[in-house]
Amino acid sequence: MASTVDSAAEQLSKLGIDGAFADSAPNLKKNLHLLSSEQVELAKMLMEMGQSHLFEKWAAPGVDDNEKRAFFDQVAKLNSSYPGGLKSYIKTARELLADSKAGKNPFDGFTPSVPTGEVLKFGDDTFINYEQAGVKEAKNAAFVLVAGGLGERLGYNGIKVALPAETTTGTCFLQNYIECILALQESSCRLAEGKCQEIPFAIMTSDDTHSRTQELLESNSYFGMKPTQVKLLKQEKVACLDDNDARLAMDPKNKYRIQTKPHGHGDVHALLYSSGLLKEWHDAGLKWVLFFQDTNGLLFKAIPASLGVSATKQYHVNSLAVPRKAKEAIGGITRLTHADGRSMVINVEYNQLDPLLRATGFPDGDVNCETGYSPFPGNINQLILELGPYMEELKKTGGAIKEFVNPKYKDASKTSFKSSTRLECMMQDYPKTLPPSAKVGFTVMDTWLAYAPVKNNPEDAAKVPKGNPYHSATSGEMAIYCANSLILRKVTRVSLSYCKNYSSELLWFLILSTCQAGAQVDEPVQEVFNGQEVEVWPRLTWKPKWGLTFSEIKNKVSGSCSVSQKSTMVIEGHNVILEDLSLNGALIIDSVDDAEVRVGGKVQNKGWTLEPVDHKDTSVPEEIRIRGFKINKLEQLEKSYSEPGKFSLKP
Ligand code: UGB
């Protein structure tokens, strides 16, 4: 490190910085002797990229010197964590900001149309076959959770993956995800007759979520997963931009720091690539990478079938989608065809779909069709990529994803911003750089089965236009009970249709009593929690190892079962069989994996009730009050089987 102002001047000349240039940042010039040669190089790069304002408020040497060095530590990090470095970031930002100012449509020349994809119906033969194919393939899969988002819309103080998905058991999203992956691993391994490996699980975190995610895992023994199976990859934030010249924004609280903001979930591709994880997975013979988001308590109900679709159709990219209400805040899967003949199936973000349609001959924009839904299926950002082609593509791009910028302008002149902006990227934009030969498909499933994210705070959820989903903690929890109730109904209904396949009338009569048997799950009642009207179904929950697929669940329910609306059922064991069970109250069953427990007879008690609470009532824990109700455990039948063996519970 140079020690005098003179040697700094020498360095300036060695670096080819002329007097006038150096004079444009006099405060930097005075402090250059504090910097290492690498830091001087970074300073030069910043100057060349028109960032001299960053040094305007620097104090004279001797004051805040450590802060000045820390500034360059930050610059070095921003430089190394962005593909192509800060120079490339600033250059891209200028181009994108100029396009934005000019009102350039990123889809210029493209015409949207409704794409065709695989539309699945839960429980029919196609669905069951895809599920089987998916379970078989799961042993060749790795899972990636993007969990770097702060969840500003939700306004929850903790990390979102720590939030209970439902409060009957209090299982948080991360625990649910891990238990689902482990259940899939076990089922897939069973099909492969033991020839299998552990399914790797990577979690992308950020400075906002990293340490709390790590703590959550460590304090819960990784929820049963081997610690070596889980890898945390931290994404870095990117520099904020103050104006159309892409001048980097100073941190309002520290004149020696650049303000930073999240770059978006698209970072996951570059991180998987640069960390070497993709190569590791590829070398281990894995074939699929499944990406998912932080707060969808239903998503693993849709994973086996959608993985089966990928494997059967050999999709390089498969996006999971649900029917989408027009203007609903989820992206629309769209076919874009360019005037020059290019065509791709891609997510068009919700704020872009409507203007794109209006600009291309659809004067009403994004509207519902006769089905009551937008013709463009909703992207739920659960992506399945085939690892081989994915690796090949990333070798070319390094994982860089096409970015966008969304400045909030002060006025129509578009010359200044209300607040700083930054470049962002989205993981679902990965297919944008793929060649036309790439097999890009999608799979649509019913919303009740696949999608119930927790994104909106109670106030905003209560203002959602009628008919559109709340996407709140309240609706997310109710959706789990609804899905489990419908699944229980459906697995037993199929027993009936199987029965009808028998041609002999006599045989049909003989087996009718068994087959017709099914779970009579009562209809829900309507209730209002935190200003949101929701359907309250019986509160049915089970561990993923009890049943993740249609066939697994069907094998665990037999005879004639009934469940009243006021009921709660928690199945914690693997081998619990419901047989002629009549439930009107609360039933909690836990058992070790080697115990087989047949549960039947009449369970009648006061059960567990839902008591409304106000989201503003701070005497109630935040996790509870954001859903607008708490559970009152009045009375239950609770049994735990801790020894291997065969048991029967028939009260
Ligand atoms: N996330 C990160 O890991 N890092 C980041 O920098 C930002 C986010 P949001 P949004 O399925 O409902 C997405 O904020 O805006 C993680 C899709 O773009 O919930 O609602 C974060 O932790 C949209 O097309 O995303 O939009 C979370 O897990 C639609 O599919 C995930 O990224 C929509 O989700 C998503 O973050 C949806």
Side-chain angles (χ1 to χ4, degrees):
M1 186 184 298
S3 58
T4 65
V5 177
D6 284 349
S7 67
E10 272 164 34
Q11 276 191 35
L12 275 179
S13 87
K14 268 191 217 148
L15 288 164
I17 298 176
D18 63 31
F21 190 58
D23 288 346
S24 65
N27 291 339
L28 169 65
K29 191 177 163 189
K30 279 184 229 152
N31 283 286
L32 270 177
H33 64 286
L34 297 172
L35 310 179
S36 67
S37 53
E38 290 80 19
Q39 290 172 332
V40 173
E41 280 295 338
L42 288 171
K44 189 186 169 206
M45 180 271 293
L46 288 173
M47 297 292 292
E48 281 171 356
M49 295 308 290
Q51 307 294 334
S52 58
H53 65 284
L54 294 172
F55 307 102
E56 263 163 26
K57 295 197 175 131
W58 274 33
V63 181
D64 299 336
D65 288 350
N66 284 339
E67 283 294 303
K68 292 166 195 162
R69 291 186 191 102
F71 168 86
F72 275 101
D73 289 344
Q74 185 199 20
V75 172
K77 198 162 163 191
L78 290 170
N79 194 45
S80 63
S81 59
Y82 185 82
L86 258 181
K87 202 168 171 171
S88 162
Y89 180 78
I90 295 165
K91 209 167 142 271
T92 309
R94 282 192 187 132
E95 285 162 14
L96 290 173
L97 285 163
D99 286 353
S100 170
K101 186 169 183 231
K104 195 169 159 194
N105 179 351
F107 300 108
D108 219 16
F110 284 102
T111 308
S113 59
V114 180
T116 48
E118 199 62 23
V119 181
L120 301 187
K121 207 84 238 119
F122 176 77
D124 69 11
D125 288 350
T126 312
F127 186 92
I128 293 169
N129 290 339
Y130 276 136
E131 270 198 331
Q132 270 165 3
V135 172
K136 206 166 148 214
E137 279 300 318
K139 64 179 186 304
N140 301 321
F143 284 82
V144 180
L145 164 64
V146 289
L150 246 185
E152 279 164 279
R153 276 188 282 159
L154 182 63
Y156 173 56
N157 281 310
I159 50 170
K160 288 192 284 171
V161 291
L163 198 62
E166 41 78 17
T167 48
T168 294
T169 64
T171 305
C172 71
F173 284 103
L174 188 55
Q175 175 171 4
N176 175 253
Y177 293 152
I178 288 182
E179 289 179 348
C180 287
I181 295 170
L182 290 175
L184 257 181
Q185 179 179 302
E186 208 184 305
S187 300
S188 194
C189 192
R190 223 177 295 127
L191 280 185
E193 290 165 352
K195 285 183 232 102
C196 49
Q197 46 200 348
E198 285 158 5
I199 296 178
F201 179 35
I203 307 175
M204 182 172 79
T205 57
S206 66
D207 275 329
D208 297 323
T209 62
H210 186 82
S211 55
R212 285 180 290 174
T213 308
Q214 196 148 29
E215 268 161 41
L216 181 65
L217 286 164
E218 282 168 6
S219 58
N220 289 285
S221 309
Y222 287 73
F223 297 111
M225 205 170 238
K226 290 202 182 129
T228 48
Q229 228 174 319
V230 187
K231 288 266 173 345
L232 264 53
L233 301 172
K234 186 158 77 72
Q235 66 175 142
E236 297 299 337
K237 291 183 180 171
V238 287
C240 291
L241 309 157
D242 254 345
D243 57 26
N244 286 329
D245 289 331
R247 277 154 49 102
L248 303 183
M250 298 303 310
D251 184 330
K253 292 191 206 116
N254 185 342
K255 62 183 176 184
Y256 298 104
R257 289 295 181 286
I258 293 167
Q259 190 184 20
T260 59
K261 284 187 183 167
H263 189 219
H265 37 68
D267 279 347
V268 72
H269 302 293
L271 271 175
L272 284 174
Y273 186 71
S274 63
S275 65
L277 255 193
L278 282 189
K279 187 173 177 315
E280 201 179 290
W281 293 344
H282 194 251
D283 292 349
L286 298 187
K287 208 170 162 202
W288 307 102
V289 187
L290 290 92
F291 295 84
F292 61 101
Q293 303 195 152
D294 52 17
T295 57
N296 181 5
L298 298 182
L299 76 96
F300 272 85
K301 296 185 192 301
I303 279 196
S306 41
L307 180 55
V309 170
S310 278
T312 311
K313 305 249 163 196
Q314 300 184 317
Y315 281 155
H316 296 173
V317 179
N318 183 11
S319 304
L320 195 55
V322 293
R324 168 180 173 278
K325 289 275 180 191
K327 301 187 183 65
E328 191 181 327
I330 61 174
I333 307 267
T334 310
R335 173 170 292 283
L336 294 177
T337 310
H338 199 270
D340 64 13
R342 276 177 294 146
S343 172
M344 59 180 164
V345 175
I346 192 84
N347 171 70
V348 176
E349 209 58 0
Y350 46 87
N351 53 350
Q352 294 174 321
L353 184 57
D354 188 71
L356 174 64
L357 286 163
R358 286 175 198 275
T360 50
F362 304 88
D364 297 330
D366 180 22
V367 283
N368 292 329
C369 62
E370 61 287 352
T371 58
Y373 290 93
S374 161
F376 299 93
N379 164 46
I380 63 170
N381 245 13
Q382 189 171 302
L383 306 175
I384 304 178
L385 305 187
E386 190 181 339
L387 181 51
Y390 180 43
M391 277 277 289
E392 285 311 307
E393 176 67 12
L394 263 52
K395 274 185 201 159
K396 288 185 241 152
T397 62
I401 296 297
K402 267 190 167 306
E403 292 160 303
F404 64 96
V405 69
N406 191 13
K408 307 276 179 287
Y409 297 109
K410 269 195 186 140
D411 55 44
S413 70
K414 295 189 174 177
T415 45
S416 48
F417 309 158
K418 283 184 188 159
S419 59
S420 67
T421 187
R422 84 287 196 183
L423 301 191
E424 293 175 76
C425 62
M426 297 187 292
M427 72 171 168
Q428 66 270 35
D429 280 346
Y430 162 73
K432 280 191 174 165
T433 55
L434 291 178
S437 57
K439 290 186 81 175
V440 182
F442 64 93
T443 306
V444 182
M445 289 200 207
D446 288 320
T447 307
W448 68 261
L449 182 72
Y451 186 57
V454 176
K455 298 199 184 216
N456 291 326
N457 61 57
E459 280 103 340
D460 290 345
K463 286 185 220 145
V464 163
K466 204 166 168 52
N468 275 26
Y470 298 119
H471 291 173
S472 65
T474 317
S475 61
E477 174 157 358
M478 290 302 156
I480 292 172
Y481 305 139
C482 167
N484 288 346
S485 297
L486 290 178
I487 289 171
L488 215 56
R489 271 186 182 175
K490 281 173 196 277
V491 291
T492 48
R493 281 221 185 107
V494 168
S495 313
L496 190 63
S497 70
Y498 279 170
C499 294
K500 283 181 181 159
N501 288 337
Y502 289 98
S503 51
S504 152
E505 292 262 315
L506 176 64
L507 183 59
W508 164 243
F509 252 84
L510 286 173
I511 58 178
L512 188 66
S513 53
T514 324
C515 290
Q516 205 171 22
Q520 305 295 315
V521 181
D522 272 2
E523 286 293 308
V525 296
Q526 297 287 125
E527 290 202 46
V528 176
F529 298 115
N530 279 346
Q532 303 154 55
E533 190 172 311
V534 287
E535 284 186 346
V536 182
W537 290 79
R539 273 71 67 207
L540 309 181
T541 68
W542 52 75
K543 286 275 180 200
K545 66 181 171 185
W546 184 72
L548 204 54
T549 63
F550 183 91
S551 310
E552 284 170 353
I553 297 169
K554 190 175 158 322
N555 286 337
K556 304 258 169 90
V557 187
S558 73
S560 177
C561 298
S562 69
V563 181
S564 71
Q565 187 280 332
K566 71 164 231 192
S567 293
T568 298
M569 179 169 70
V570 178
I571 303 175
E572 305 265 2
H574 171 56
N575 235 336
V576 175
I577 291 138
L578 307 181
E579 200 172 59
D580 296 316
L581 170 72
S582 162
L583 176 62
N584 185 28
L587 171 66
I588 322 294
I589 303 285
D590 193 2
S591 62
V592 291
D593 285 357
D594 296 339
E596 182 190 285
V597 186
R598 292 186 173 265
V599 184
K602 201 166 175 182
V603 177
Q604 170 91 39
N605 54 47
K606 287 185 192 141
W608 295 2
T609 57
L610 302 187
E611 184 190 319
V613 294
D614 192 295
H615 66 89
K616 291 192 198 111
D617 181 354
T618 50
S619 68
V620 179
E622 191 183 6
E623 294 73 33
I624 300 297
R625 66 175 191 266
I626 60 168
R627 53 199 84 223
F629 59 85
K630 64 178 180 193
I631 293 179
N632 273 338
K633 300 183 176 179
L634 300 178
E635 194 184 3
Q636 67 276 325
L637 173 64
E638 189 165 3
K639 286 275 177 193
S640 184
Y641 299 85
S642 53
E643 299 295 327
K646 292 193 180 232
F647 304 91
S648 170
L649 174 65
K650 292 211 165 89

